[in-house]
Amino acid sequence: MLKPAEKKKLADKARELREKIIEVTYTCGGAHVGGAFSQHDILVALYYKYLKIDPKRPQWPERDRFVLSKGHGGIGHAVILGDKGYFDEALLDDFNKTGSPFGMHLDRLKVPGVDTSTGSLGHGFPMAVGIALGARLQGKKFRTYCMVGDGECHEGSVWEAAMAGGHYKVTNLTLFVDRNGFCLDGDTEEIMTLEPLDAKFEAFGWRALTIDGHDFAQIDEAILTSQAEKERPVVIIANTIKGKGVDFMEGQTAWHYGGLDDQMKEKALKSIRGK
Amino acid sequence: MAKAQGLTWTISDADHMTQAEIYGEVLTQIGKTNKKVVALTTDLAKSTKIGKFQPDMPDRFFNLGIAEANMMGIASGMAETGLIPVVSTFAVFASLRAAEFVRTDICYQQRNVKIIATHSGTSFGQAGTTHHCTEDLSVMRTFAGMTVIAPADARETGKAVEAVIERDGPCYIRIGRGFEPPLYKDMDFEFEIGKANQLKDGTDVAVIACGPCVVHAVDAAQQAEAQGVSVRVLNMHTIKPIDEEAILAAVMDTRRVITVEDHSVIGGLGSAVADVIAASGKGCAFRKLGYQDEYSIVGYPDDLLHKYKIDADGILETIGEVLKADFEEDEDWEDE
């Protein structure tokens, strides 16, 4: 059970970092802000409670790994890594600019703390399965966490990786699906049906948990369950809200990607602080 | 029984083993001493011979089913943990079906993965175009950071496999189905990545070949020699990084260059050689032999090499052509 004080700490951190994401979205001209906010609370829980990492040693071989398979959430990931001290946060001022280490999809060779370069959908999950298999083979104790987008689950390679993960029982991997309900062109169920998503994963040999991806208590419990499970790998299907935290973005497919002017920025910050 | 020996492996009956069998055997022997090596395939353990690895090292062998893209991603992830993944499937699937995974998961991220692709070119001729692969050298060459090797025969494959395990970074080796004739009779030859092997010196024409075409180039050169034409033969086993020095020397010394590959003439060995020649500013007669922007037909491999003029007959015919070809004289040539 997550203690109230811990829950408050995570919620405060999540709010503070949502503001930073808005600031960077404003300066960089445009970002995948909707998905960055839907994934956000899970990433905060991971980076501020669960991941065994050392920002001073980004290449520490025994560190836990996190693979953001939905690489377009990179802006949210970058803001967290900056806050954790992997690099000077001032570098985020140049996000998206020519020659900056930061583009909308993060590059592991340029951004300390990024374990795999992602962006092209359906790639991160197979790599995460590979990391988990490699770790287990060598008796390494670290855990791998991976997040796919729900629209990303349209990619065949997600299901190739799911099949392999189920076959090899990669219980040292926790998979999240950021189920915000939208891909770029609209509602996932209108574009290409995903449901029943939990049954699909179960059929591929996974144990599927469904949670509210913005409820820290549920996130916490699901992660603990995934760590304890020894028979089947666990996928946590997190029902989330695209643009969560900013009233005029929430549930709006238009905010899959967008930029902010001065007025919108202030309105967004006000909305985040007000919640 | 002729032995084949590398630094860390020995095969006693190399004469009776195909290119792929030697590959499987060498990899297995390397795997016994280098515990970082893991072997991955996609339901082609038997066909590619990577399956030889499994009995002795079942924990380090992964048959991922018929899912090539996933295999490349998994290999990239395993490399992140410090392992040296060696993956095998047919060349057409490694280079085309899984191309973006090779590019984005392995090359872009500088992952230490070795791809040993079999059944390249038209070596699986009877299977038809879906299983031929005349594009892989071209595709793999364009991926920044990728080393690309096309060994001439089984013994050279053994040396190449050993060399790529020692080399840091992504590497691609393409071999045939396994029934190609041997070029080297013993192991007394050098193999260095990026350094062509000159098999025969000559001053009239240079034939630069790779893979199964090398043995035909030697045959053609010997026949030409009997007709009084002096032909240099280079085994250009490494397509990238290409041996510029050997190419420039061939241009300077012969001024007539023919490239031969079991591959499209677009983007492979011929294109790599042409790049070097064009940048040199030197004039020479030049022909690229291979598949001329077309899909190869069904047939037995030997028949196909003949049809597409990449066997000894085709090369000999082209030698005759380039001897008659005109090229722009270069004033400074003699001074160089």
Side-chain angles (χ1 to χ4, degrees):
Chain A
M1 276 289 283
L2 196 63
K3 293 184 190 113
E6 271 185 314
K7 191 173 172 179
K8 181 174 184 310
K9 206 181 106 193
L10 291 173
D12 288 347
K13 179 55 80 178
R15 194 177 306 119
E16 172 199 332
L17 294 177
R18 273 197 170 86
E19 289 183 36
K20 278 195 194 171
I21 292 169
I22 288 294
E23 296 286 358
V24 180
T25 301
Y26 170 74
T27 54
C28 77
H32 289 91
V33 64
F37 282 166
S38 63
Q39 77 194 15
H40 186 65
D41 295 316
I42 291 165
L43 265 66
V44 167
L46 285 173
Y47 274 92
Y48 296 87
K49 182 151 197 267
Y50 283 104
L51 289 181
K52 294 187 189 72
I53 49 175
D54 180 359
K56 293 199 171 52
R57 291 182 294 161
Q59 295 300 315
W60 176 39
E62 305 308 317
R63 72 193 185 281
D64 282 346
R65 305 297 200 276
F66 175 66
V67 178
L68 185 64
S69 195
K70 48 164 293 194
H72 53 288
I75 191 164
H77 193 196
V79 162
I80 288 172
L81 293 175
D83 185 66
K84 293 294 287 185
Y86 279 99
F87 49 81
D88 180 358
E89 286 180 278
L91 288 169
L92 293 170
D93 293 346
D94 289 334
F95 206 98
N96 276 353
K97 295 192 179 129
T98 306
S100 164
F102 304 95
M104 58 180 78
H105 308 106
L106 301 181
D107 180 340
R108 81 172 189 96
L109 300 174
K110 305 237 170 74
V111 182
V114 174
D115 295 321
T116 57
S117 308
T118 53
S120 179
L121 297 175
H123 287 246
F125 182 23
M127 288 190 278
V129 171
I131 293 171
L133 286 171
R136 186 166 73 189
L137 181 64
Q138 296 171 92
K140 291 178 185 285
K141 297 295 174 211
F142 71 79
R143 190 165 187 85
T144 302
Y145 297 85
C146 175
M147 178 183 278
V148 295
D150 51 359
E152 182 177 7
C153 294
H154 291 146
E155 289 282 4
S157 57
V158 164
W159 300 101
E160 292 183 9
M163 206 182 307
H167 179 82
Y168 286 109
K169 299 184 175 21
V170 285
T171 52
N172 56 343
L173 169 72
T174 299
L175 177 70
F176 296 91
V177 180
D178 180 11
R179 184 79 174 104
N180 62 33
F182 293 101
C183 41
L184 204 158
D185 278 341
D187 186 318
T188 58
E189 302 313 282
E190 284 175 21
I191 304 288
M192 184 55 63
T193 307
L194 288 169
E195 294 298 337
L197 195 54
D198 54 350
K200 284 189 170 78
F201 274 103
E202 293 268 351
F204 279 70
W206 292 63
R207 178 176 170 193
L209 308 175
T210 301
I211 62 162
D212 174 348
H214 301 301
D215 180 326
F216 285 108
Q218 291 189 36
I219 296 168
D220 184 72
E221 196 183 323
I223 291 173
L224 288 174
T225 304
S226 77
Q227 291 174 344
E229 172 67 58
K230 299 295 173 220
E231 296 301 315
R232 292 181 294 166
V234 169
V235 55
I236 300 169
I237 298 173
N239 288 317
T240 59
I241 296 168
K242 202 152 189 165
K244 170 74 178 177
V246 176
D247 50 11
F248 64 88
M249 293 180 181
E250 286 190 359
Q252 301 297 315
T253 184
W255 280 101
H256 176 86
Y257 179 92
L260 298 164
D261 59 20
D262 291 316
Q263 214 179 359
M264 285 158 95
K265 182 183 93 165
E266 289 312 318
K267 215 176 136 201
L269 290 174
K270 208 172 144 191
S271 176
I272 292 167
R273 287 168 190 151
K275 294 200 173 195
Chain B
M1 289 209 294
K3 267 214 293 197
Q5 189 158 21
L7 286 172
T8 57
W9 54 273
T10 305
I11 291 169
S12 54
D13 58 347
D15 278 350
H16 300 100
M17 290 173 79
T18 66
Q19 194 176 20
E21 282 170 332
I22 294 232
Y23 151 55
E25 186 61 33
V26 168
L27 183 66
T28 301
Q29 291 191 25
I30 291 173
K32 284 177 184 170
T33 53
N34 187 341
K35 309 287 184 203
K36 294 279 181 201
V37 175
V38 288
L40 288 72
T41 189
T42 49
D43 195 39
L44 289 171
K46 296 189 188 81
S47 306
T48 66
K49 309 300 178 207
I50 197 172
K52 283 173 179 272
F53 195 94
Q54 185 173 20
D56 291 316
M57 292 152 289
D59 293 351
R60 286 190 276 138
F61 180 82
F62 297 85
N63 193 332
L64 295 161
I66 307 162
E68 295 78 12
N70 183 49
M71 172 170 69
M72 297 303 179
I74 284 181
S76 167
M78 287 178 163
E80 155 65 26
T81 69
L83 295 171
I84 305 173
V86 178
V87 309
S88 276
T89 179
F90 291 174
V92 68
F93 309 135
S95 66
L96 298 177
R97 189 180 190 108
E100 195 215 357
F101 289 74
V102 174
R103 181 263 203 186
T104 298
D105 300 2
I106 296 173
C107 294
Y108 166 51
Q109 308 203 34
Q110 298 177 9
R111 295 298 194 193
N112 194 23
V113 175
K114 317 302 171 188
I115 302 168
I116 320 284
T118 67
H119 297 63
S120 66
T122 55
S123 62
F124 198 9
Q126 303 94 309
T129 304
T130 59
H131 283 60
H132 296 175
C133 187
T134 59
E135 302 90 353
D136 57 331
L137 296 177
S138 178
V139 170
M140 292 293 171
R141 247 184 101 216
T142 63
F143 297 159
M146 183 65 111
T147 296
V148 182
I149 300 171
D153 74 354
R155 286 188 171 86
E156 190 165 64
T157 299
K159 291 200 180 199
V161 170
E162 190 164 44
V164 297
I165 298 290
E166 293 301 317
R167 187 177 177 90
D168 192 31
C171 296
Y172 178 81
I173 297 180
R174 62 122 60 177
I175 61 178
R177 190 182 179 198
F179 303 107
E180 297 73 26
L183 171 73
Y184 295 104
K185 308 297 176 212
D186 55 43
M187 293 300 284
D188 187 21
F189 63 96
E190 294 292 318
F191 181 84
E192 185 186 332
I193 291 173
K195 185 113 185 68
N197 281 350
Q198 183 171 305
L199 300 174
K200 187 182 164 307
D201 200 5
T203 52
D204 295 327
V205 178
V207 178
I208 303 176
C210 66
C213 299
V214 179
V215 72
H216 290 283
V218 173
D219 184 356
Q222 282 162 351
Q223 291 185 52
E225 199 81 26
Q227 298 165 18
V229 182
S230 170
V231 179
R232 177 176 301 184
V233 178
L234 291 179
N235 169 12
M236 192 64 75
H237 50 70
T238 308
I239 315 304
K240 185 184 168 188
I242 196 92
D243 186 346
E244 296 189 13
E245 199 181 328
I247 296 167
L248 292 174
V251 173
M252 304 285 231
D253 297 343
T254 71
R255 312 197 67 188
R256 292 178 182 85
V257 174
I258 301 167
T259 60
V260 198
E261 59 200 306
D262 183 16
H263 186 274
S264 167
V265 293
I266 299 172
L269 171 70
S271 294
V273 171
D275 288 352
V276 175
I277 296 176
S280 77
K282 300 297 172 195
C284 77
F286 181 64
R287 296 286 185 280
K288 292 190 289 187
L289 296 182
Y291 305 97
Q292 307 288 331
D293 199 18
E294 63 198 310
Y295 289 104
S296 40
I297 63 167
V298 171
Y300 297 111
D302 287 347
D303 294 344
L304 296 181
L305 296 188
H306 185 74
K307 173 184 163 52
Y308 293 102
K309 297 185 187 292
I310 50 179
D311 69 345
D313 291 346
I315 297 167
L316 193 60
E317 184 186 319
T318 309
I319 288 171
E321 270 177 45
V322 295
L323 282 171
K324 288 180 241 155
D326 286 331
F327 51 86
E328 196 81 11
E329 289 289 342
D330 181 329
E331 283 178 14
D332 299 331
W333 193 265
E334 297 300 329
D335 302 333
E336 306 246 349

